[in-house]
Amino acid sequence: MGKIYTALGLMSGTSMDGVDASIIKTDGNRKYYVILDRYFKYPKYIHKNLISLRDKIKNFKDLRKYKKQIKKVEEEITVFHAKSVNKILKIKNIKIDFLGFHGQTIYHNAKKKLLDK
């Protein structure tokens, strides 16, 4: 049997309402054990700021136009994710080998294959 790793993963989806977090143990191939699953709801101001930003961005040029607002929201969700990790580690005092955080999609254009997180 190969080495077993402990991974903590964070995901916020298109609903932009919060963060799903999981800790798993895995050999990276076939073995997989769930240690913890938790949901952390965004405060109203983060949810509102994400939705407002998403609704303003209609094309790639808007990413430049709203650069300052994007930076602000990016900081808000990054801090929220970090706080969520700290809460999880208080619940489960466990050594984490890997941490995964995919970011938050605010603009997507499948036709042009453009995506900004």
Side-chain angles (χ1 to χ4, degrees), residues 1-114:
M1 181 158 105
K3 174 151 174 55
I4 300 294
Y5 297 96
T6 304
L8 193 162
L10 303 162
M11 189 195 85
S12 54
T14 55
S15 64
M16 300 181 177
D17 62 350
V19 175
D20 291 300
S22 294
I23 297 176
I24 65 162
K25 286 194 173 280
T26 181
D27 66 355
N29 189 21
R30 294 188 175 186
K31 303 228 184 277
Y32 173 90
Y33 309 95
V34 176
I35 305 298
L36 176 87
D37 285 322
R38 287 287 187 275
Y39 171 74
F40 298 93
K41 186 175 181 175
Y42 281 143
K44 288 181 183 180
Y45 76 94
I46 290 179
H47 178 72
K48 180 183 167 195
N49 290 345
L50 279 167
I51 298 298
S52 172
L53 185 59
R54 180 201 60 199
D55 291 348
K56 288 178 184 177
I57 298 173
K58 303 297 182 200
N59 57 58
F60 195 72
K61 290 179 183 177
D62 286 341
L63 294 171
R64 281 197 193 270
K65 181 178 179 180
Y66 296 106
K67 185 177 180 176
K68 286 183 182 178
Q69 189 175 352
I70 292 169
K71 185 85 169 154
K72 179 181 179 268
V73 172
E74 179 181 47
E75 184 177 319
E76 290 172 351
I77 65 169
T78 300
V79 168
F80 185 84
H81 279 77
K83 287 180 179 180
S84 299
V85 167
N86 287 333
K87 287 177 186 176
I88 289 169
L89 294 178
K90 284 182 181 178
I91 295 167
K92 287 284 185 186
N93 186 14
I94 192 168
K95 181 184 174 285
I96 303 296
D97 296 303
F98 302 103
L99 177 74
F101 167 44
H102 73 82
Q104 178 68 57
T105 300
I106 56 169
Y107 173 72
H108 178 79
N109 183 328
K111 289 180 182 176
K112 291 187 177 184
K113 297 184 180 178
L114 296 172

